[in-house]
Amino acid sequence: MPPINDHLKVSMERTGKDYREVHEWLDGDPEKKAERHDITKIHEYGKTIEEKYGKEALQEYIQHIHDDVKAKFNHIQHDLEKAVTDALVYFGVK
C-alpha cells in the first residue's frame, strides 16, 4: 500500500489539503491499521470521519481505501504472474 506521504501528496493535488489526520488515523497505528482498512466498516468509520472533518475528508478516506485496495491487488497480480512464469520455467515450458 502507498505510504502516508504518498496519500498526503495525492490528497493535496486533488483537493489542496493533505488530510493528514485522516491518513494518519488509517495508517498511523500498526495495531489498528487492518481494522481501519476493513471495507465492511466504511459506513461506520465514514460517518465518524465526516462528522469530525467534513464531507471532503470523507471522500479522501474513501479514496485512501480505494488506493490501498488497488495497490494490494496490483501487487497480488504481479506476484501471481511471477509465480506462473517461474513454474513454467521450472517445468521447461518457457
Side-chain angles (χ1 to χ4, degrees):
M1 265 85 54
I4 290 177
N5 286 339
D6 289 357
H7 287 293
L8 297 175
K9 181 181 175 198
V10 170
S11 288
M12 182 63 81
E13 290 169 357
R14 186 177 25 255
T15 68
K17 301 174 188 170
D18 65 14
Y19 289 97
R20 179 177 298 277
E21 298 88 357
V22 173
H23 299 300
E24 287 181 348
W25 179 82
L26 277 157
D27 289 345
D29 184 343
E31 292 183 20
K32 295 183 179 181
K33 187 173 179 175
E35 175 188 341
R36 291 177 176 175
H37 283 76
D38 182 343
I39 62 172
T40 67
K41 296 182 179 181
I42 287 176
H43 182 74
E44 173 188 344
Y45 292 154
K47 280 184 176 180
T48 303
I49 297 277
E50 184 176 8
E51 288 170 3
K52 194 167 185 176
Y53 302 110
K55 283 189 180 287
E56 196 171 70
L58 170 61
Q59 291 305 310
E60 290 305 299
Y61 159 69
I62 293 169
Q63 189 66 47
H64 180 119
I65 298 293
H66 170 271
D67 294 346
D68 284 358
V69 167
K70 184 177 177 183
K72 185 70 160 174
F73 280 96
N74 284 343
H75 183 71
I76 290 169
Q77 181 179 1
H78 172 76
D79 289 352
L80 176 61
E81 289 169 358
K82 183 181 180 323
V84 169
T85 299
D86 290 350
L88 291 173
V89 168
Y90 179 83
F91 291 111
V93 179
K94 191 171 184 179

